[in-house]
Amino acid sequence: MAIDSKDNSALDRRDDRKAAGEDQNGKAQEPWSVEQVVEGIPGGPPQTDSSSPVPFFHMLERLKTTKREGWRRFGIAHGESISDHMYRMAMITMFAPPALAAKINVPHCTKMALVHDMAEALVGDITPVDGIPKPEKNRRESTTMDYFTNSLLGRVNGGMTGKQIRDVWQEYEDNETMNAKFVHDVDKIELILQMVEYERVHETKLDLGEFTWVATRIELAEVKAWSDDLMEEREVFWGDKKHTRFDTEEALKAATAKEVDTEKLVKEHVGYYGDGKSTFQ
């Protein structure tokens, strides 16, 4: 995983234009739409209203090739894809401890983990620092899921499979059921795992401590226990070397004392990672 700050800066400038609704020449763009995106797919837009799921199967390939954007800001040029992220999440759901597993539907949670970021096949991985308001992000993702389930899957198996996928996705978005809360927590623990792993690969030359703040947004005690284990593992890895952390009240106060804009950090991330049960809300 090479670090290329020059390439990263160019990509960041592109994202600034994208967030502002401008093209590479600074001219105003049309509002984002599914139609715009699918027109640019190599080979042309997928066939719609087909009784075969094959056009949708091709669409899923985009999840394998679209990278998770948050890491790129730190120069990780060849990071994980969206499907990489969702696959490990799906596996993690199967490890719900017995006390928690009794309160949830584990196979349903596994399915939810596999579809929760499906809209990013067309929308891309929008992060808290991209400057795109949460309502606009929601509009793009909801519109994309409607396109998948109605235009690509509306005639497949009588439309039932598409409807089931859409319903599971919406349950995750609403985040009101215990199943959804568990999968949201799994989403966070998977991010923290990847954070620690990238730091290891770069042998303490890359500090991704900004992401430790996500640990404070984990709600369920069982998942929090996994997070605590990870944070302890990370501290052992860094040892006495200087590094950043925001995963405890003490760490947040220390960062504030060093003039780190922790208020901005919270505002940027809370809309995406939820309020959780932070000890310093």
Side-chain angles (χ1 to χ4, degrees), residues 71 190-202 206 208 211-212 230-231 233-235 237-238:
W71 310 117
E190 204 287 325
L191 181 149
I192 298 168
L193 279 162
Q194 191 64 70
M195 173 199 74
V196 170
E197 289 154 2
Y198 282 148
E199 288 184 333
R200 284 177 179 170
V201 167
H202 290 94
L206 180 65
L208 297 172
F211 294 98
T212 61
L230 263 172
M231 291 300 99
E233 185 181 290
R234 181 174 186 260
E235 288 305 297
F237 167 73
W238 280 96

Side-chain angles (χ1 to χ4, degrees), residues 12-33 36 126 130-133 136 139-140:
D12 286 343
R13 290 193 295 274
R14 184 194 68 185
D15 281 350
D16 290 342
R17 292 190 297 267
K18 180 177 68 174
E22 299 175 350
D23 63 18
Q24 61 182 358
N25 298 314
K27 295 181 179 179
Q29 291 180 321
E30 293 291 324
W32 186 96
S33 69
Q36 278 183 331
I126 298 172
D130 285 336
I132 297 176
E136 172 60 14
R139 182 192 72 82
R140 296 182 186 189

Side-chain angles (χ1 to χ4, degrees), residues 4 7-15 18 67-79 130 198 211:
D4 187 341
D7 180 57
N8 205 49
S9 297
L11 290 169
D12 286 343
R13 290 193 295 274
R14 184 194 68 185
D15 281 350
K18 180 177 68 174
K67 301 298 184 183
R68 296 257 289 168
E69 292 295 314
W71 310 117
R72 201 187 62 193
R73 289 191 297 115
F74 293 86
I76 299 173
H78 303 289
D130 285 336
Y198 282 148
F211 294 98

Side-chain angles (χ1 to χ4, degrees), residues 240-257:
D240 59 1
K241 292 186 178 181
K242 183 180 178 181
H243 61 285
T244 310
R245 61 180 300 188
F246 299 102
D247 57 301
T248 66
E249 184 175 6
E250 292 75 17
L252 188 73
K253 288 178 178 177
T256 302

Side-chain angles (χ1 to χ4, degrees), residues 133-202:
K134 187 70 183 294
E136 172 60 14
K137 175 179 183 289
N138 292 345
R139 182 192 72 82
R140 296 182 186 189
E141 292 180 346
S142 181
T143 301
T144 298
M145 291 304 295
D146 288 342
Y147 169 76
F148 288 165
T149 57
N150 296 329
S151 298
L152 297 188
L153 296 174
R155 295 184 58 203
V156 177
N157 299 335
M160 290 305 298
T161 304
K163 182 180 184 304
Q164 290 168 2
I165 290 173
R166 184 64 167 80
D167 288 348
V168 172
W169 178 85
Q170 192 63 55
E171 181 183 351
Y172 177 83
E173 288 295 299
D174 293 341
N175 196 23
E176 295 176 351
T177 66
M178 180 64 79
N179 291 324
K181 291 183 183 301
F182 174 52
V183 179
H184 271 272
D185 277 359
V186 170
D187 186 35
K188 299 177 184 74
I189 201 73
E190 204 287 325
L191 181 149
I192 298 168
L193 279 162
Q194 191 64 70
M195 173 199 74
V196 170
E197 289 154 2
Y198 282 148
E199 288 184 333
R200 284 177 179 170
V201 167
H202 290 94

